[in-house]
Amino acid sequence: MRTSILTLFIAISGTAHAGCFDGLTTSNTVMSKVRGLYVHPDYDGEDQLHYVILDKASCSASKSGDVTLASTTKNHYYLSFKSSDEFLYSAILSAQATGTTLEFRMGQKAQDNSVNSIAYIISPSGARSQ
């Protein structure tokens, strides 16, 4: 009885979302709104990695591709970019503020298999096909 009530609640509330990386091991692109950012402080001008958190509820990913999904990207929906890439940082902040869906071209995974980098973005998603 308790399980059926929980299942009914999830179905009615719409809070359960399957992730766009579920079942994928490789992909080339992901379209998603920006859920958030994880930003490291700049230490002595070092090029730090920042992380964009993809919105699991609104994302869609290419079902094939040659870029291997790293563990953190696949499990936690993070992509990384360098703090020195101020234009990319600005574009991501703008997209987050306006709720714009971005098309992320996924870069290679980090050496420790933790997270994929952002090769480039298309803003808004699908703009190149107009």
Side-chain angles (χ1 to χ4, degrees):
M1 169 90 173
R2 186 177 291 197
T3 305
S4 61
I5 292 172
L6 179 62
T7 305
L8 179 63
F9 176 73
I10 290 173
I12 292 172
S13 67
T15 57
H17 300 287
C20 61
F21 295 141
D22 290 353
L24 296 182
T25 55
T26 61
S27 186
N28 281 337
T29 59
V30 61
M31 279 85 49
S32 177
K33 292 183 179 180
V34 176
R35 179 77 172 182
L37 293 164
Y38 181 73
V39 178
H40 287 283
D42 188 19
Y43 293 111
D44 300 325
E46 291 181 30
D47 205 8
Q48 300 287 327
L49 284 181
H50 295 326
Y51 302 92
V52 60
I53 304 166
L54 305 173
D55 184 31
K56 189 174 182 178
S58 69
C59 72
S60 63
S62 60
K63 303 297 181 195
S64 62
D66 56 357
V67 179
T68 303
L69 291 179
S71 59
T72 301
T73 296
K74 187 172 180 172
N75 296 324
H76 303 290
Y77 289 73
Y78 292 175
L79 294 175
S80 68
F81 62 97
K82 293 183 178 181
S83 61
S84 61
D85 196 342
E86 294 174 1
F87 179 79
L88 179 60
Y89 187 25
S90 175
I92 290 171
L93 282 174
S94 175
Q96 182 185 20
T98 60
T100 302
T101 300
L102 297 176
E103 184 174 339
F104 296 92
R105 173 61 163 99
M106 295 172 48
Q108 297 302 316
K109 62 183 181 174
Q111 299 244 351
D112 62 357
N113 190 34
S114 59
V115 67
N116 290 83
S117 62
I118 297 172
Y120 60 86
I121 65 168
I122 298 171
S123 178
S125 176
R128 68 180 167 176
S129 62
Q130 293 183 14

